[in-house]
Structure formats: C-alpha cells, structure tokens
C-alpha cells in the first residue's frame, strides 16, 4: 500500500498529511512533486491544504494546470482514490474532477476553528467505516470554503448521494452557527459519481492525535476507512 | 538628486557624522556613499542612541547558543535542538498602510528566523491602538489583523498567541510587534558570515524594485501631517514568494553548500552585504548589473536602499554555486551571482566596470557613532501618587455584578477569539494548546518537549514607573508561561518609545531597560534578541514607554501542561498569592477614573514570585492541578470569569472581603497571584507544596456545573449573560 | 500588438458578500442612494504577437474562459485595443 501527498508551490499542509499518514497511521507515504507525472504505484493520492500559488487568481486555479493534475485525471478515470483537503478540494473543483466551485466565506474572513460534521453517506471509501448520521469533530481553516453549485446540479448531487459530510452544530442539527462559511446546503464534503474522489474543506490530518488542539481523533476515522478500503480491494 | 555638493543633511547625517566619514575615507564621500552611510547610520539600522543602554541587558547565559548581533537569537532546549527567536516592530509602516505594514512585519521576522537555519514553527503579535472608539482605530485594527492573518496563513506558519490593547496614548502611533520562533538542530545553526575571500555572493528571491526607499530613515522620524502622501515608502509583501523562499532556503541548507546567509531587511542589500563582510573581517564586491531588477530605470542608490521584500543574500564557495542555484530554480525562484568576497575589507559597489562606491565594510556596519543622549527624569513623575482606597466612592451598595459585566466587555478584556479565529493557529500540527489561554504551547516534534510562548507588556504601568513597569512586564510574561507548566528560558524584547532626542523619553528608555535587565537576572534568563523602535510619536505626543516582552518557556514533558479553563464540577478553586487590593494603574481604575492623575502600578516581591513559579511547576509536574491562570488585567474577578467562560463551567466562591473595599479586592491587580483548580483529593499534596515554597493559599470555593459565577455576596451572574458581553465580536463593538 | 482589458464578474444569481460589505461602507459614508454593489476583478495584459483582430479575440477569449474566469461562478468580457 502506498499513499502519495502532492506538493505544489505554496502547499502548507503537505507535511501535516505526511505526518498523519507516516507517523500516526504508519502507512507508507511519499511526497509527489507537482511536476511529477508518475502516479502508477499509488493506492491513494492526497491533495493537501495550503495556499498553492498563493491562492492568487482563485484558490486552486493555477495549481490545476500543474503537470501532476493531468496524471491525476487519468488516475481518477482508472478508479484511483483521491482525497482533496481544503486547497486540495479547491484544486479538484477547478480541475473539474468534482462539480461546483468555492467562493469567499460569507463573513469575508478567514476562519480557523473546530466544527462538527454529520456523515451523510457511507458509500465513500473514506466514510465506509463510519455510521450514517455520525457526528465528527475536526478543524477548518480557510477563507474560501463557501461551496457553491447551481440548483439543477445540487438536486443531482442529492439524488446521487454525493454529499458525504455536512456542517452541523454540536447537537447534529443544521443551522447557521454550525456552518462556518455559508456553504450551500451546509455542504462540507462531496464525492464524484464514481465515488473514488472525495473533496472536503475540513482538515482530517489535524484531527489524528489526542495531544493536539481539541483532542479529537475523528480525522483518523476517515483516513483509516480509506486504508481498510485499499486493503480489501487488494 | 541635487547635483554638485552632496548635502549630508539630505541623507539624515549630522555634521559630526559627515566629518567622521570624511576622516575615515580621507576624502569626501560621493552621493551613493552618503546614501549608504545615511541608511546604515540611521537609528533604525545602527541603534546609535540605544546600543550603549542595551548593554545593560543580560545576553549571555550558558544556554544561549547565539546572542544578539545575528539575525535572531538561539537558545539551547536540549535534545541537541535550539529555538531561534526574535521580535520585530513595524510601527511606522502600519500607521501609514496598516495592512501591508503588518503583513511585511510578519514577513520580515519570519526571514530573520529561517535565515538562522531554523524551521519557523510559530508567530505571535503584540498590538496597540488608540481607544476603540477613537477615529481611525477600527480601520487600523481591522487592517492590521487582516494583514497579519493573510500573510501568516499563506506562508503556513501558525499564529498562536499575543496581546492587543487599546489606549489613548497610542492613537496615531499604533504599535505592531511581531515575534517568530523556529526550531533548529544546534549543529546546523546558520550565521551571517561571509567566510573567506574568494567566496561567491548570490542574491536569491524577489527582484529588486523601488519598495520602501529610505524606509529605514523614514522610521527614524516622527510622523508628520502629510504622511498619507508617503506611500511610496511602504513595502508590499508577497507571502507566496516567501513560502517558496522558506522551502528553497531550508533545502539549500541541507546541501551544506551555504556558508553564510542574511535576509535583506531594513536597508536591504546595503545592510546585508556590509554586515556579513564586517562579521568575517573581509570585504565584498557587488556588481549591480547582475542583480535581478523589477524596474529598468532604478538608480544605484535606489537599488542599495531598496527594501523589496523576500530577498536573501547568500555566500557559498565557487564550486557550489550551481547546486544552490538549482535548488532555488526548482522552487521557481531566482538565485543570481552578484559578487564575491574580497580580502580588502571594502564594500565595493560596481556597475559593470565602473566603481560607484567604495567604503570600509566594518566602518559602515559597526562604527556608527554611539550616542549617550541626555536623560532627564520627567516632571510628571513627581505627580504620580499611590492610589488610596479612600479615593473610591465608598457608598456601600454597589452592584458589583454590573461592574464586572462592564469590565469584561471592555476591548482590553473581551475574548480575543474574533481575532485568533482569523489566524490559522493549527497548521504544522504542533498546537497543543489552542489560543485563549495564558500562553501558547507548541510541541517540538522528535522530542517529549513543548515550547510555551507569550508576549506581554503594560504601557500604563511603564508610564507611571518605567523601571518597575518594565520589570512587571517581564514577570508577567514569565508567569504566563509558568501557568502552562513551562519553565521560563529566554526573552526577546521589543522596546517601543518616543523620540530618544527628548531627554525625558530617553530617561524612560534607560529605566525600562534597567528594569528588564533586573527582572531577567532575577529569573536567571537571558535576552537573546530584540528590537528598538524609537520615534513613536506624532505632533509631539509620544506613546507610553512600552517594552514588550516575548517569553519562551520549555515544558519537559508535553503531556504535563495546563491551561486556564476550569475542568470538572467539584474541583476546588485556590488562589495562590496575596491580595492587597492595588488599584493604581489598573484597568478597573481606568474604567471609573474621572481625573487625569497617574497612580503607581502594583509592586512585586521577586522572591515570592519565583517561589510561586516553583510551586506551580512542581504541581504541574506532579499532575495535581487541573488549571492555572494568573491574575492580571481586571484583577481576580476577571480572572475567575475567564476560567469559567473558557471552561463553560460555573463557580461558587465563598469569599468574605475584609479590610478593603470590595472593588479593591475584586479588581485590584496585585502581582504574583495565580488561580488554580484541582481535585479535592490532591488538595493536601498541594498544600504541602505551598508550605514548602511559603506561598499563601486562599481556598476560594469550587467549580460548579451550574453555569453561574457566584462570588460571595458580591457577584452573581449567569455565564450566558457574561458570555454575551465577553464573546462580543470586535466587529460589533461601538466605534 | 494588442492591449487586452478583461472584466470578470460574479454571476448575477450569486450572493456577493464583498459587494454587500462595500455597499454598507458607501452608505455609512453618507451615500445612501447607492444599491446593488457587485465586486469583480480586472485584468490587463499585452498580446505581443502580431495577429488579426479576430485571431486576437479568439486567443483572449480562450485565456479568459480557461484561466481568468471560473465559468461555474463567473462571467467575463474583454476589450482589445491595437497598440502600434
């Protein structure tokens, strides 16, 4: 089994993703430089958070033209697993690998805090070890996490069970306080139709050790889910 | 530029300094050379008014790996690791353009850290503005916060702590102090050395443009009426480029090809080149034709004085130039050879074949005259008194609950969550303790340790008593890291004052430095780096003398740390230390005061304070306390409120106030007091420790699940109504 | 050579918090007769190869649709001015 964490100029959370996979989950993981186009041996590609290309133009708009993304598109077509976290999610959207787009947080401010998520679908390799309706806690840290998709395509997302995680309050209800950025329908994470690509704004890699922050290890659940999916797939 | 005779005054030099330059050169300096001296001998670069006084600070302890004089200080934390630490001020640029001023302040201090070979792991900031409802203050405040947030977040370094204060004395002269810490292997510390003659000099990072021309000299003058027109003197930061620079530079270090490196900060290429050369007793020759430029028409003096951000000066052996270049190119950065190290001790600026300037590097870098400005005790100090309880309106039936609510709604006290939620404080996965406690705690990967960090200052205390106020600031910062379970280890200080040419202000400066020195010696710690910012005044109203202390403490076992929030209903709440009801210079007094009088700040018993530290550290190590929070702004009642609100738990305190007015007890800011909470079963052990260290304990009461704060018959408030006031967004404050 | 100026706008149906904030600020300054503020982006660049207007327009359009605007949320328009 091998995970790959892509590094773009400006990625910040690549080292955190690496650490979570290597030191906490203890799975083999490599860095993949953005100019590298060989993704053959990888079981899962992670596009980490950060500010690729400074978020200049639009978050992810320049990174999506990196050589590695071309390979990611092929990799996805062949059924490879891809996890896009925060900036990674933004890159997947700009590259058209996931539907919709990100705009600025409703507050117009960067928001870094712990939030609650409700598992809406366990049909994804990243949530198959979770229970539907389960509440998870992990941090967000972004200025452009306000997910947008038009009416017609939002209906399709719902019909096809592509919404994987929603923002909720601590008691599991959807409301304004639970949503940190104004995302439509409180959407925090979505998957593509094939279900091999997941994009999420919250940071699971920051939620793998009791020692840090709020002490939640819920991020581990998502990563371990993927690990067991890969093992089962053989 | 005027042709003919260069006027030394235009370059900010005095007649005496000009004569000195003529003497050393044995000729008249040309325009370019005058510009070089003008900037290097400016206050900002040469510290000519403060150097002598700064020698009073203790800078050499056995744990100091690198003291003041390099880009940042480094202190040994064991496990073969060092922590690089420094604080910088960007006060004047932030007054003119708060967003970029603050952003570039962050950029500059980060460069000082990674230039030492250290991976930056955290940022803190200390900010001061006029009263929140004063003109322009919300604008300055919002933009400074955005500037710091956008830069720090983009660059991927967590901003984990700091302080913000609003006080009339800073209107028109905001203080923006930024601190950065990094981790480095002791045997991999990089210095700003030029090594041997024959070495090659490279410029890496951004191209050079007209940014911040004469920014250094600019900072040495008071802000006048037409400052808004001075925008060209403001630098613009590119945090993306800085991020690339960090990664490329740390990667370059790992090749072992870099002999010396310095970031181009104040006075850009001039300061970095002459300082590196001077340190090694060699010379440097630079060819301006080789330097990557953003502007075709830029003049040589503009190139030498440019403060374009995100540039590094690197020295390496000739054989390794290509290696270094390829590392930077990989990160899409330029690294160009711009000169070489010579053996003649001169800084020689050439343009192709023409020599434009030639001056002794050491003379330029180190020999700026040192001044011992006159210092005169300010007259206003004669009127400073002790605040007496008799001055309080002692009418019995005060509504202390309402008073507390008013106090915790003040901008100097309310929750700072609106601020720190704009900072990514978790990136890099080291943040053990989230912002909102007394200190930030960052684990050090690869060890069992953690670093605790705090920034503290108190301008009001220092105005009333510069020496004692400075001393109190150091102890406050130390107490804050102690409250997280860390032993204070090193200080970086940012000294913010008015004009040193005013003898009264210079007296305040000297006294403050003495106070810092005393406190550091009493604590047994060293000042490993720092920054002086003078001329923080406009229309002759100077800021309060405001030394800001950046404190580093080390926690030996990262699993044994504390924070201030109450944890468990039933836990006993204990006050360590004595309450005397000192209201002079307090936040409460400021709230109710109608006169303009100045009152002495609280005093401190240094021995008691040190014993208190030992008590808390011992208790944390033995794992017998559940929370710790020191009493400072707003006194005991405020501190208790903070413990409750942070933990979302109530408290019932059976206090009967005796021998002083209730408000003196509740809101006085006596020093050396820490509130702890612990499980009842650990109380006897804690009492034993307290006896050993001879610390007075007062059992105040216990933590409750009911969300109410009850303090005797004086205060009875629901957490909800307190939170309503305390958690107000800064955005919603009346302005 | 062509001088290209591009305006990128948020699609009409999208909420524009930035525009709203700016509108509030205008109102606070006393301009109470201002409505419907929308914030967008402006780009300018030189197209240095010598092309006919039609080809230059195609190229500019390509750049806009592929990079400068995100067609999911943004519309764009541009003008070309010949520089001799």
């Amino acid at each position: 089994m091998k995970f790959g964490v892509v590094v773009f100029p400006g990625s910040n959370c690549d080292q955190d993703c690496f650490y979570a996979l290597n030191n906490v989950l203890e799975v083999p993981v490599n860095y993949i430089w953005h100019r590298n186009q060989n993704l053959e041996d990888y079981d899962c590609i992670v596009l980490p958070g950060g500010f690729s290309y400074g978020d200049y133009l639009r978050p992810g708009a320049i990174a999506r033209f990196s050589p590695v993304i071309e390979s990611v598109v092929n990799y996805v077509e062949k059924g490879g697993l891809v996890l896009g976290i925060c900036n990674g999610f933004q890159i997947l959207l700009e590259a058209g690998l996931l539907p919709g787009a990100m705009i600025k947080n409703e507050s117009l401010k960067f928001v870094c805090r712990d939030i609650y998520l409700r598992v809406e679908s366990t049909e994804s390799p990243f949530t198959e070890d979770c229970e539907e309706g389960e509440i998870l806690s992990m941090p967000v840290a972004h200025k452009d996490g306000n997910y947008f998709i038009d009416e017609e395509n939002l209906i399709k997302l719902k019909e096809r069970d592509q919404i994987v995680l929603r923002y909720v309050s601590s008691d599991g209800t959807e409301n304004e306080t639970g949503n940190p950025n104004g995302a439509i329908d409180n959407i925090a994470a979505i998957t593509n139709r094939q279900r091999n690509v997941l994009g999420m704004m919250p940071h699971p890699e920051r939620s793998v050790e009791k020692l840090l922050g709020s002490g939640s290890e819920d991020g581990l659940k998502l990563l371990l889910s993927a690990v067991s999916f890969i093992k089962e797939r053989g | 530029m005027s042709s003919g005779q260069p006027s030394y005054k235009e370059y900010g030099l005095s007649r005496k300094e000009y004569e000195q330059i003529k003497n050393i050169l044995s000729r008249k300096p040309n325009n370019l050379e005058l510009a070089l001296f003008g900037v290097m001998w400016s206050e900002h670069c040469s510290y000519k008014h403060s150097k002598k006084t700064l020698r009073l600070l203790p800078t050499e302890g056995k744990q100091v790996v690198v003291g003041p004089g390099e880009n940042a200080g480094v202190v040994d934390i064991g496990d073969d690791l060092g922590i690089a630490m420094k604080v910088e001020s960007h006060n004047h640029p932030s007054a003119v353009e708060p967003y970029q001023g603050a952003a570039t302040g962050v950029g500059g201090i980060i460069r000082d850290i990674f230039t030492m070979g250290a991976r930056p792991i955290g940022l803190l900031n200390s900010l001061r503005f006029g009263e929140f409802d004063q003109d322009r203050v919300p604008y300055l405040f919002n933009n400074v916060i955005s500037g710091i947030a956008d830069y720090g977040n983009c660059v991927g370094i967590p901003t984990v702590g700091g302080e913000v204060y609003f006080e009339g004395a800073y209107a028109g002269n905001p203080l923006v102090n930024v601190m950065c810490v990094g981790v480095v292997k002791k045997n991999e510390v990089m210095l700003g050395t030029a090594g041997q003659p024959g070495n090659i000099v490279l410029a890496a990072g951004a191209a050079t443009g007209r940014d911040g021309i004469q920014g250094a000299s600019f900072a040495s003058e008071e802000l006048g009426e037409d400052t808004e027109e001075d925008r060209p003197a403001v630098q613009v930061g590119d945090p993306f480029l800085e991020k690339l620079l960090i990664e490329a530079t740390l990667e370059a270090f790992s090749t072992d090809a870099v002999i010396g490196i310095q970031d181009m900060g104040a006075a850009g290429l001039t300061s970095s080149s002459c300082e590196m050369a001077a340190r090694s007793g060699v010379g440097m020759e630079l060819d301006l034709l080789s330097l990557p430029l953003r502007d075709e028409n830029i003049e040589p003096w503009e190139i030498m004085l440019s403060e374009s951000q995100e540039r590094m000066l690197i020295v390496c052996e000739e054989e390794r130039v290509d290696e270094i270049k390829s590392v930077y190119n990989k990160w899409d950065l330029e690294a160009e050879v711009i000169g070489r190290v010579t053996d003649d001790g001169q800084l020689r600026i050439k343009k192709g074949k023409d020599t434009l300037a030639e001056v002794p590097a050491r003379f330029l870098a180190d020999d700026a005259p040192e001044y011992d400005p006159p210092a005169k005790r300010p007259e206003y100090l004669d009127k400073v008194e002790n605040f007496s309880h008799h001055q309080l309106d002692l009418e019995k039936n005060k509504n202390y609950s309402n008073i507390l609510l008013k106090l915790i709604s003040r901008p100097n006290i309310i929750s700072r969550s609106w601020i720190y939620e704009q900072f990514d404080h978790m990136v890099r996965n080291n943040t053990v303790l989230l912002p909102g406690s007394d200190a930030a705690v960052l684990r050090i990967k690869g060890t069992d340790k953690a670093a605790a960090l705090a920034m503290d200052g108190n301008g009001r205390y220092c105005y009333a008593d510069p020496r004692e106020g400075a001393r109190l600031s150091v102890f406050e910062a130390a107490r804050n890291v102690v409250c997280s379970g860390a032993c204070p280890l090193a200080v970086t200080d940012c000294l913010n004052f008015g004009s040193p040419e005013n003898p009264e202000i210079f007296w305040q400066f000297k006294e403050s430095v003495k106070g810092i020195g005393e406190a550091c010696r009493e604590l047994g710690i060293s000042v490993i780096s720092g920054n002086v910012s003078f001329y923080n005044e406009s229309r002759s109203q100077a800021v309060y003398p405001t030394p800001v202390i950046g404190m580093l403490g080390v926690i030996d076992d990262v699993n044994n740390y504390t924070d201030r929030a109450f944890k468990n209903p039933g836990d006993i709440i204990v006050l360590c230390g004595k309450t005397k009801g000192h209201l002079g210079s307090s936040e409460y007094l400021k709230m109710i005061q109608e006169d303009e009088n100045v009152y002495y700040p609280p005093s401190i018993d240094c021995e008691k304070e040190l014993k208190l530290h030992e008590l808390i550290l011992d208790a944390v190590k033995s794992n017998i306390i559940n929370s710790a929070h020191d009493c400072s702004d707003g006194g005991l009642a405020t501190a208790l409120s903070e413990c409750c609100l942070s933990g979302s738990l109530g408290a019932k305190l059976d206090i009967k106030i005796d021998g002083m007015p209730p408000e003196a007890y509740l809101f006085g800011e006596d020093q050396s007091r820490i509130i702890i909470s612990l499980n009842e079963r650990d109380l006897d052990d804690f009492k034993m420790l307290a006896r050993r260290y001879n610390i007075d304990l007062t059992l105040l009461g216990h933590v409750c699940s009911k969300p109410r704060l009850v303090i005797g018959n004086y205060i009875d408030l629901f957490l909800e109504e307190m939170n309503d006031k305390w958690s107000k967004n800064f955005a919603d404050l009346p302005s | 050579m062509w001088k290209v100026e591009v305006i990128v706008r948020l699609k009409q149906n999208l909420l524009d918090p930035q525009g709203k904030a700016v509108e509030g600020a205008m109102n606070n300054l006393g301009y109470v007769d201002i409505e419907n503020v929308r914030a967008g982006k402006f780009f300018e660049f030189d197209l240095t190869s010598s092309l006919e207007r039609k080809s230059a327009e195609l190229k500019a359009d390509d750049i806009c649709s592929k990079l400068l605007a995100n067609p999911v949320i943004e519309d764009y328009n541009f003008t070309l001015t010949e520089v001799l």
Side-chain angles (χ1 to χ4, degrees):
Chain A
M1 151 153 32
K2 202 160 78 165
F3 277 71
V5 175
V6 179
V7 182
F8 296 95
S11 290
N12 288 325
C13 308
D14 47 321
Q15 295 183 12
D16 297 346
C17 287
F18 187 95
Y19 178 86
L21 292 163
N22 187 58
N23 296 52
V24 181
L25 269 90
E26 290 176 331
V27 296
V29 55
N30 276 352
Y31 287 113
I32 303 172
W33 184 236
H34 71 114
R35 286 202 236 276
N36 191 331
Q37 300 197 268
N38 187 351
L39 302 180
E40 266 174 38
D41 299 327
Y42 292 96
D43 297 287
C44 179
I45 303 289
V46 177
L47 302 183
F51 282 71
S52 58
Y53 295 94
D55 268 10
Y56 295 151
L57 183 58
R58 295 179 305 278
I62 300 177
R64 67 75 103 229
F65 287 112
S66 278
V68 73
I69 294 296
E70 209 185 295
S71 310
V72 170
V73 171
N74 292 332
Y75 179 83
V76 165
E77 268 166 31
K78 296 202 194 110
L81 269 191
V82 175
L83 172 63
I85 302 169
C86 200
N87 190 220
F89 186 6
Q90 292 160 339
I91 296 171
L92 290 170
L93 290 166
E94 287 280 340
L97 286 169
L98 287 172
M102 284 297 172
I103 54 178
K104 261 209 172 31
N105 292 351
E106 214 163 46
S107 64
L108 300 180
K109 300 226 175 280
F110 191 95
V111 60
C112 175
R113 63 177 169 90
D114 287 301
I115 49 92
Y116 294 96
L117 300 164
R118 190 176 61 210
V119 177
E120 306 290 79
S121 168
T122 54
E123 293 296 308
S124 158
F126 297 95
T127 52
E128 63 174 29
D129 288 354
C130 301
E131 308 234 345
E132 220 173 278
E134 187 177 348
I135 309 293
L136 306 171
S137 169
M138 61 192 80
V140 292
H142 55 248
K143 205 172 186 177
D144 302 84
N146 186 347
Y147 178 71
F148 172 82
I149 192 167
D150 59 48
E151 263 309 309
E152 200 189 314
N153 285 303
L154 176 60
I155 293 171
K156 289 191 187 143
L157 269 192
K158 287 180 176 166
E159 281 172 358
R160 294 165 181 162
D161 197 27
Q162 283 176 253
I163 301 170
V164 179
L165 299 168
R166 275 204 172 84
Y167 298 114
V168 290
S169 286
S170 52
D171 60 3
T173 54
E174 288 176 59
N175 52 33
E176 246 183 63
T177 26
N179 184 330
N181 49 42
I184 203 170
D185 217 34
N186 302 302
I187 291 173
I190 59 168
T191 184
N192 60 344
R193 288 188 74 177
Q194 287 167 267
R195 301 191 190 292
N196 57 334
V197 178
L198 182 81
M200 61 186 295
M201 281 317 288
H203 287 262
E205 81 283 9
R206 293 189 186 182
S207 177
V208 298
E209 290 172 282
K210 271 211 187 69
L211 176 67
L212 302 179
S214 68
S216 162
E217 292 173 305
D218 289 341
L220 265 183
K221 282 205 175 112
L222 303 178
L223 297 173
L224 282 172
S225 224
V227 170
S228 61
F229 174 88
I230 293 167
K231 282 200 181 127
E232 278 163 31
R233 197 163 62 165
Chain B
M1 282 284 111
S2 53
S3 56
Q5 292 276 53
S7 164
Y8 56 83
K9 276 208 200 109
E10 272 177 57
Y11 296 95
L13 294 164
S14 70
R15 171 153 209 110
K16 202 163 164 225
E17 288 164 350
Y18 177 65
E19 294 299 326
Q20 217 173 329
I21 295 166
K22 261 179 25 184
N23 261 339
I24 298 288
L25 296 182
S26 305
R27 57 171 170 85
K28 281 204 184 112
N30 65 32
N31 277 5
L32 179 56
E33 288 164 345
L34 272 180
L36 300 182
F37 280 105
V39 79
M40 286 308 296
W41 287 14
S42 71
E43 185 61 44
H44 191 73
C45 284
S46 70
Y47 280 35
K48 55 191 173 186
H49 286 91
S50 60
K51 243 191 204 161
K52 187 155 186 231
T53 305
L54 291 175
R55 292 204 188 94
L56 296 171
L57 295 172
T59 58
E60 294 163 13
K62 57 179 161 63
Q63 271 153 314
V64 177
V65 176
V66 178
E70 286 279 341
N71 289 284
V74 180
V75 67
D76 189 342
I77 60 164
D79 290 298
D80 293 321
L81 293 177
I83 289 207
M85 181 167 85
K86 188 155 176 213
V87 65
E88 266 282 334
S89 63
H90 242 225
N91 304 335
H92 295 86
S94 300
V96 175
E97 210 320 291
Y99 180 88
Q100 286 298 343
T104 50
V106 173
I109 193 65
I110 292 172
R111 284 194 298 280
D112 280 332
I113 297 302
F114 73 80
T115 222
M116 300 300 290
R119 159 72 68 181
I121 59 165
L123 289 162
L124 291 89
N125 52 75
S126 167
L127 312 172
R128 282 172 167 77
F129 306 93
E131 300 292 340
F132 201 78
D133 55 9
Q134 266 180 293
D135 201 34
R136 244 189 146 226
V137 168
Y139 161 76
L140 289 172
F141 170 67
N142 277 304
N143 280 283
V144 163
I145 298 291
S146 294
I148 292 174
D150 285 353
Y151 203 102
N153 294 343
C154 183
V155 123
I157 299 169
T159 301
V160 292
E163 52 165 19
V164 185
Y165 281 100
F166 301 90
E167 195 91 51
Y170 304 103
N173 292 280
L175 299 185
V176 176
N177 298 165
V178 190
M179 171 177 158
C180 184
V181 293
V183 181
V184 60
K185 288 208 181 95
K186 260 171 59 184
N187 59 359
E188 289 178 4
V189 173
M190 294 295 312
L191 298 177
T193 174
Q196 300 297 327
N199 284 339
I200 302 295
V201 180
L202 298 103
T208 299
R210 286 199 163 90
D211 307 86
I213 298 294
Q214 301 206 350
S217 316
F218 171 72
S220 303
E221 282 166 44
E222 295 176 26
L223 286 172
E225 295 279 334
D226 36 31
T227 308
E228 299 273 345
E229 305 300 310
D230 286 336
R231 255 163 235 257
V234 171
Q235 311 102 306
V236 174
D238 182 349
F240 171 54
L241 210 155
E242 176 109 334
K243 164 71 181 179
L244 299 179
L245 201 58
I246 295 174
E247 298 306 325
T249 305
L250 291 178
E251 198 174 310
F253 291 155
S254 67
T255 66
D256 276 326
V258 177
I259 289 177
I261 182 169
Q262 180 148 331
D263 83 301
M264 298 195 215
L269 184 54
T270 305
S271 57
S272 47
S273 54
C274 71
E275 284 173 13
M276 286 183 83
R279 273 192 206 99
S280 308
V282 292
M284 226 185 241
E285 182 176 290
L286 305 174
D287 183 356
L288 298 184
L289 282 182
S290 313
L291 185 68
L293 299 172
R294 216 172 65 213
D295 215 316
E296 277 168 8
N297 304 320
I298 190 172
E299 306 248 352
W301 73 268
E302 292 177 313
I303 294 176
M304 293 311 295
L305 265 54
S306 165
E307 295 193 356
S308 293
Q309 300 289 291
E310 294 105 20
R311 297 176 301 157
M312 312 294 288
L313 196 68
I314 302 173
V315 172
C316 71
E317 283 172 357
E318 186 152 17
E319 309 85 69
R320 313 215 52 190
V321 167
D322 286 335
E323 216 173 318
I324 292 189
K325 282 179 95 164
S326 67
V327 170
Y328 280 90
N329 291 338
K330 170 191 160 191
W331 288 94
D332 292 329
L333 294 172
E334 285 189 89
E336 295 300 320
V337 173
I338 64 163
R340 56 189 192 90
V341 178
T342 66
D343 60 4
D344 63 3
Q346 303 287 319
L347 175 67
R348 192 174 304 110
I349 310 298
K350 298 183 79 153
K351 195 171 178 182
K353 292 214 189 88
D354 303 322
T355 297
L356 305 179
E358 189 170 316
V359 298
R362 199 159 253 176
F363 184 48
L364 193 57
D366 299 336
D367 292 346
E370 264 180 40
Y371 294 116
D372 201 2
K376 183 175 141 220
R377 186 173 179 278
E379 278 177 23
Y380 76 82
L381 286 178
D382 291 334
K383 300 204 198 80
V384 178
E385 318 165 358
N386 273 312
F387 184 81
S388 152
H389 293 160
H390 296 300
Q391 290 171 265
L392 291 168
D393 180 1
L394 292 170
E395 149 228 347
K396 285 295 176 170
N397 298 322
K398 284 201 184 140
N399 187 333
Y400 298 106
S401 293
N402 279 353
I403 296 177
L404 179 58
L405 277 181
K406 268 181 84 185
L407 193 52
I408 64 173
S409 344
R410 289 171 69 74
N412 284 344
I413 306 232
I414 60 173
S415 160
R416 269 83 177 96
S417 61
W418 183 89
I419 297 173
Y420 61 71
E421 284 182 6
Q422 294 183 55
F423 303 142
D424 188 343
H425 46 265
M426 301 189 211
V427 65
R428 299 205 64 79
N429 265 4
N430 291 326
T431 308
V432 173
L433 184 50
L434 296 173
S437 194
D438 291 346
V441 176
L442 295 171
R443 65 133 166 232
I444 310 286
K445 284 200 185 86
T447 73
D448 293 326
K449 298 191 164 101
L453 301 161
M455 275 182 102
D456 283 285
N458 194 318
R460 215 185 298 136
Y461 285 5
C462 292
Y463 182 65
D465 187 339
R467 187 161 174 164
E468 198 59 19
R471 228 170 131 240
L472 292 175
S473 302
V474 177
F475 281 115
E476 162 87 35
R479 204 180 310 125
N480 276 328
V481 306
V482 164
C483 281
S484 345
C487 190
L489 180 59
V491 162
T492 182
D493 60 331
C494 197
L495 307 174
N496 304 280
F497 291 79
S499 166
E501 294 160 50
N502 177 337
E504 295 192 347
I505 299 214
F506 197 73
W507 188 90
Q508 289 174 334
F509 175 70
K510 268 177 118 162
E511 289 298 298
S512 294
V513 171
K514 285 187 197 154
I516 295 172
E518 272 167 24
C520 287
R521 285 190 182 88
E522 283 159 346
L523 284 161
I525 60 182
S526 309
V527 177
I528 61 172
S529 60
N531 176 261
V532 176
S533 171
F534 277 133
Y535 301 99
N536 292 290
E537 52 185 79
S538 38
R539 288 178 219 104
S540 300
Q541 209 234 330
V543 298
Y544 283 159
T546 313
V548 171
I549 308 296
M551 179 72 65
L552 166 71
V554 175
I555 300 174
D556 282 324
D557 180 355
V558 66
N559 295 300
N560 283 340
Y561 71 93
T562 21
D563 68 295
R564 65 181 183 175
F566 286 151
K567 303 285 182 318
N568 313 303
D571 276 357
I572 311 271
I573 302 170
V574 182
L575 173 65
C576 312
K578 251 195 159 125
T579 300
K580 296 183 221 150
H582 187 108
L583 284 172
S585 281
S586 68
E587 185 69 27
Y588 173 71
L589 189 60
K590 173 142 189 249
M591 186 170 87
I592 63 166
Q593 197 169 352
E594 278 160 11
D595 59 43
E596 297 281 309
N597 293 349
V598 179
Y599 299 102
Y600 281 121
S603 60
I604 188 165
D605 178 341
C606 157
E607 256 188 67
K608 267 257 146 40
E609 174 82 25
L610 294 176
K611 291 281 180 218
L612 177 64
H613 292 185
E614 288 189 79
L615 167 61
I616 300 298
L617 291 179
D618 237 334
V620 174
K621 275 208 179 81
S622 323
N623 235 318
I624 57 178
I625 59 178
N626 293 334
S627 75
H629 181 31
D630 81 316
C631 296
S632 58
D633 306 283
L636 178 64
T638 301
L640 286 167
S641 307
E642 289 164 344
C643 298
C644 289
L645 290 165
S646 310
S648 300
L649 286 168
K652 187 163 190 307
L653 303 139
D654 310 302
I655 294 176
K656 263 202 99 183
I657 299 169
D658 210 1
M660 69 182 85
E663 60 218 278
Y665 183 90
L666 295 168
F667 311 120
E669 293 179 6
D670 306 286
Q671 300 291 293
S672 311
R673 292 182 304 159
I674 294 180
I675 299 167
I676 60 126
S677 69
L678 73 176
N679 192 301
E680 187 156 11
R681 61 161 188 262
D682 293 315
L683 185 57
D684 284 334
D685 284 339
F686 188 73
K687 279 179 170 171
M688 213 165 63
L689 278 179
R691 269 195 299 275
R692 181 191 310 168
Y693 293 111
N694 201 7
I695 299 291
D696 293 300
L697 296 183
T698 310
L699 298 186
L700 295 179
H702 56 274
V703 179
C704 308
S705 52
K706 237 193 275 188
R708 244 165 109 185
L709 172 63
V710 178
I711 304 182
N713 292 328
Y714 311 98
I715 292 180
D716 189 342
L717 288 166
F718 281 100
L719 279 196
E720 202 180 314
E721 56 186 324
M722 292 173 72
N723 208 30
D724 192 53
K725 294 274 187 290
W726 183 75
S727 284
K728 239 192 176 54
N729 282 338
F730 274 94
D732 299 331
L733 288 180
S735 63
Chain C
M1 191 172 85
W2 298 93
K3 188 172 173 67
V4 188
E5 293 177 314
V6 183
I7 293 184
V8 176
R9 297 181 158 86
L10 259 189
K11 283 191 151 95
Q12 270 304 320
N13 59 330
L14 255 80
L15 179 69
D16 181 8
Q18 212 172 213
K20 252 178 58 193
V22 172
E23 189 173 321
M26 287 184 187
N27 294 155
N28 285 339
L29 279 175
Y31 301 103
V32 292
D33 49 353
I34 303 282
E35 293 175 6
N36 285 327
V37 176
R38 310 270 301 163
K41 287 186 212 165
F42 170 77
F43 298 92
E44 63 182 0
F45 55 91
D46 296 331
L47 233 178
T48 57
S49 37
S50 36
L51 297 170
E52 299 277 311
R53 178 172 275 270
K54 262 281 178 255
S55 314
E57 281 176 356
L58 280 173
K59 210 168 201 177
D61 190 79
D62 216 34
I63 292 172
C64 288
S65 62
K66 277 210 180 104
L67 186 68
L68 298 182
N70 180 336
V72 178
I73 48 172
E74 291 169 328
D75 292 322
Y76 63 87
N77 57 16
F78 59 86
T79 57
L80 259 67
T81 316
E82 192 154 18
V83 177
L84 301 153

